[in-house]
Amino acid sequence: WPGTATSINSLSWSLPTSSAPAAVTSLAAVTGSSPGEIDLTWTAPGDDGTTGTISLGEFRVKYSSMSDASDKGGWDYASNYISSVCANISLSKTYTMNVTGLLQYTTYYFRVWTADEQPNWSAVSNEALARTPSNLLP
């Protein structure tokens, strides 16, 4: 409210958005180039669903070596997650992440969530899986 109007109405101020970013639907995982690594890629959603840039947004990547993690609440565990805060998350920009320190020759399942500046969290992404390489195999 600028303080100069004689009356206050809905145009006198702005409220923060309450819309969460859309869920990521393009999460992909591939075997990394070194033992214990997997490379992830995904396309960023918009700030309010599928529109706009997210200011001070965050990605949270969770992973599990259990294929049925979602059935057993595995995605809710505080462990096995990586959080990455970004100054701006641009709509439709491709993001990448190299996940390291994983067990060799093990299949991992990944999910990602996106938060806006409020933070409103998106729904869970599609699931992506990949097997880590091993330096013990030819």
Side-chain angles (χ1 to χ4, degrees):
W1 178 51
T4 57
T6 57
S7 63
I8 299 173
N9 59 40
S10 64
L11 303 176
S12 300
W13 66 86
S14 63
L15 298 173
T17 179
S18 61
S19 297
V24 168
T25 59
S26 60
L27 180 63
V30 295
T31 299
S33 58
S34 298
E37 290 185 1
I38 291 178
D39 296 323
L40 303 176
T41 61
W42 66 89
T43 302
D47 185 15
D48 297 318
T50 57
T51 62
T53 297
I54 301 171
S55 300
L56 300 174
E58 179 179 355
F59 292 116
R60 178 163 289 165
V61 174
K62 291 189 179 185
Y63 59 92
S64 175
S65 59
M66 299 183 306
S67 64
D68 61 351
S70 58
D71 296 334
K72 296 186 176 173
W75 301 119
D76 297 328
Y77 295 138
S79 61
N80 295 342
Y81 81 89
I82 305 158
S83 185
S84 176
V85 176
C86 302
N88 288 309
I89 298 175
S90 300
L91 173 66
S92 299
K93 179 179 177 185
T94 299
Y95 287 83
T96 62
M97 180 179 284
N98 176 256
V99 182
T100 62
L102 303 172
L103 295 175
Q104 295 179 31
Y105 204 62
T106 301
T107 300
Y108 283 90
Y109 303 83
F110 295 87
R111 299 284 186 132
V112 65
W113 288 259
T114 308
D116 64 13
E117 65 281 355
Q118 296 305 314
N120 296 312
W121 284 94
S122 70
V124 65
S125 72
N126 63 296
E127 182 178 80
L129 65 103
R131 181 178 291 269
T132 54
S134 171
N135 61 359
L136 302 177
L137 298 176

